[in-house]
Amino acid sequence: MLIPNRNYSDLKDSYLFYNISKRIEAYLLKNPGKKLYRMGIGDVTLPLCEAVIKELHAAVEDQAEKKTFHGYMPECGAPFLRGAVAGYYRNRGIELSEDEVFVSSGASDELGDLQDLFDKSCSAMIPEPAYPAYVDANIMAGRRIIHLESGRFDNFLPSPTELLHKLKREGLPVPDLIYICSPNNPTGAVYDRAGLKEWVELANKYGSVILFDAAYEAFIEDDELPHSIFEIEGARTCAIEICSLSKTAGFTGTRLGYTIIPKTLERGGMNINDMWVRNRTTKTNGVSYIIQRGGAAVFTPEGQRQIKKNISLYKENARLLSETAEKLGLWHCGGKNAPYVWMECPNGMKSWDFFDLLLNEVQVIGTPGAGFGACGEGYFRFSAFASPEDTKEAAERLLKLR
Ligand SMILES: Cc1ncc(COP(=O)(O)O)c(C=O)c1O
């Protein structure tokens, strides 16, 4: 008899954003046509920039001619895009070879697929609150998860010292996989160099691998903060970096990302970069030529100028939302180097109750912190990806709660 992957029955019954959409659906059924101000889900609203659109069109034209037509693309990515990404890192002082860059269809896909590289017995440390896909992908894979709680006491930036204390208390070994998301979704908190260095030292000391999610690196504006874990000495022997063009350049629907796996990353006598080449050449036939051409345009000087303009519009929304939390007298973080503002719910409210209050009273949608793990309870996330008009209106409506 066929045995399904029973780990799926350990997943929570529904996904955070599915729950949100169900509540919105119910509200709109009772209040048809009511305008909602959606500061919840982290999807972008600005179109792809001109430089990308121009390249996409040109690539479509290539596919119409025998001479320029492309069939299957190299599984690990087109050399022109791998080179462009390596150049992007070089501009920040990080030397990568092109075969350390893997083109992907997005960070979510990659975060799930990378699970293949590690034995089922490997444990995973996931800081909380966290992007829900980390937990779900590890549950599906049947891994033991060690949740590392964070909070206002550590500015939502948990440290290896906190992890080691927890492991000692609970009699657990150091986890094999360590997830770090910086800038963080949902809290918008960003590790500084010293903070990341501690994680790199821990991983190298105990043989763990850091899965560093840099999906929001382009939102960092403080020069002192690291965009990449490879800015930290020692990371080349312990880290994989997962990146996305979704929020950086509006590719949520177009789908493109990239992953950095150093050639120097080895565990148990195996080279992780070689393993990933083997994985990609077996399990994918590469990302579409057209999309990769569009993606390469992001890394041109023109593309960089244009995406930065879009990012600064989102950052202006984030600034307004942070200012609103401030005026409401609510503790908050994020917003400055990230497109998310994380704030406490007023009057000790629970986060789903606050969600319902905002939906019913002021028609503003946010994301309840409890959806990102138990220690997100009592907090709320606002996304800066809505239009400036909607964000302004949402901010005014939130102020009515005073
Ligand atoms: C932290 C984080 N990682 C990864 C992703 C997924 O990005 P992609 O659209 O490239 O799959 C998201 C999307 O919201 C995210 O917030």
Side-chain angles (χ1 to χ4, degrees):
M1 195 180 71
L2 181 146
I3 303 173
N5 180 347
R6 296 217 185 275
N7 298 321
Y8 280 64
S9 53
D10 295 334
L11 293 166
K12 280 210 201 129
D13 46 341
S14 57
Y15 189 66
L16 171 63
F17 295 108
Y18 175 77
N19 260 340
I20 292 177
S21 66
K22 284 281 151 208
R23 288 186 192 217
I24 295 174
E25 219 174 85
Y27 176 83
L28 288 176
L29 215 63
K30 276 201 220 141
N31 304 276
K34 195 94 173 167
K35 161 97 175 140
L36 300 177
Y37 299 88
R38 296 173 187 268
M39 313 288 129
I41 193 161
D43 199 356
V44 291
T45 49
L46 291 170
L48 293 168
C49 69
E50 242 178 82
V52 169
I53 292 293
K54 204 169 126 206
E55 274 305 289
L56 288 173
H57 279 298
V60 169
E61 291 303 323
D62 282 356
Q63 295 298 71
E65 297 290 332
K66 201 168 178 187
K67 259 187 10 219
T68 48
F69 172 77
H70 286 75
Y72 287 128
M73 295 301 288
E75 294 89 343
C76 299
F80 63 78
L81 182 52
R82 299 178 93 181
V85 173
Y88 180 66
Y89 276 79
R90 193 172 311 117
N91 288 342
R92 288 208 305 261
I94 300 165
E95 279 305 324
L96 297 177
S97 66
E98 290 182 16
D99 49 10
E100 293 178 315
V101 178
F102 294 86
V103 174
S104 76
S105 310
S108 285
D109 316 42
E110 205 77 338
L111 283 160
D113 292 351
L114 286 164
Q115 295 277 339
D116 269 6
L117 292 173
F118 308 103
D119 190 79
K120 293 273 179 284
S121 65
C122 292
S123 57
M125 185 286 277
I126 302 180
E128 261 192 27
Y131 179 54
Y134 304 155
V135 174
D136 287 355
N138 280 284
I139 291 177
M140 288 174 189
R143 291 191 198 293
R144 182 155 50 83
I145 300 175
I146 296 161
H147 297 275
L148 180 60
E149 297 78 13
S150 64
R152 275 155 77 164
F153 61 92
D154 58 8
N155 287 316
F156 288 96
L157 290 169
S159 69
T161 311
E162 287 167 59
L163 174 66
L164 292 172
H165 280 144
K166 180 186 169 93
L167 297 175
K168 195 165 172 207
R169 264 194 324 270
E170 299 181 11
L172 295 168
V174 174
D176 303 298
L177 300 173
I178 293 175
Y179 282 80
I180 299 178
C181 178
S182 178
N184 187 272
N185 177 12
T187 66
V190 190
Y191 279 100
D192 61 14
R193 285 196 167 76
L196 278 190
K197 188 163 176 278
E198 286 181 33
W199 282 113
V200 165
E201 282 169 2
L202 177 103
N204 277 324
K205 181 169 174 192
Y206 292 97
S208 311
V209 169
I210 296 174
L211 296 171
F212 187 77
D213 186 337
Y216 298 101
E217 63 81 16
F219 289 80
I220 294 176
E221 60 185 46
D222 280 355
D223 290 341
E224 295 309 306
L225 295 172
H227 289 242
S228 163
I229 193 144
F230 298 113
E231 291 178 42
I232 310 301
E233 202 188 327
R236 284 186 58 86
T237 50
C238 68
I240 293 177
E241 182 157 292
I242 300 109
C243 304
S244 166
L245 291 189
S246 281
K247 312 302 164 72
T248 303
F251 275 66
T252 52
T254 310
R255 311 302 304 144
L256 194 64
Y258 51 92
T259 299
I260 311 299
I261 308 184
K263 290 243 173 231
T264 40
L265 180 58
E266 297 196 339
R267 288 293 180 273
M270 296 183 78
N271 184 288
I272 305 287
N273 180 294
D274 289 346
M275 286 170 70
W276 195 235
V277 172
R278 194 70 179 82
N279 180 295
R280 295 292 85 182
T281 49
T282 304
K283 295 200 170 181
T284 78
N285 268 325
V287 175
S288 130
Y289 165 70
I290 298 169
I291 307 298
Q292 292 195 68
R293 277 281 300 275
V298 170
F299 299 100
T300 61
E302 198 189 6
Q304 285 291 299
R305 253 195 321 277
Q306 293 173 2
I307 65 157
K308 280 183 182 147
K309 196 166 152 217
N310 287 354
I311 288 172
S312 69
L313 283 174
Y314 292 137
K315 295 291 290 292
E316 185 53 30
N317 290 342
R319 195 195 53 73
L320 186 60
L321 290 164
S322 298
E323 206 178 274
T324 306
E326 193 69 35
K327 283 185 186 160
L328 288 168
L330 298 171
W331 184 93
H332 59 98
C333 66
K336 186 161 189 289
N337 294 291
Y340 298 114
V341 176
W342 178 251
M343 62 179 227
E344 68 171 337
C345 301
N347 310 317
M349 277 178 97
K350 293 201 158 198
S351 47
W352 279 105
D353 293 340
F354 190 48
F355 175 89
D356 289 334
L357 175 96
L358 290 184
L359 173 61
N360 290 303
E361 301 297 323
V362 289
Q363 291 74 53
V364 173
I365 314 285
T367 310
F372 299 102
C375 63
E377 182 56 280
Y379 291 90
F380 211 71
R381 186 195 81 174
F382 285 114
S383 143
F385 291 115
S387 68
E389 298 75 27
D390 277 11
T391 308
K392 195 159 169 274
E393 178 62 28
E396 279 167 19
R397 286 169 171 250
L398 287 170
L399 290 175
K400 286 189 193 150
L401 298 173
R402 274 193 286 195

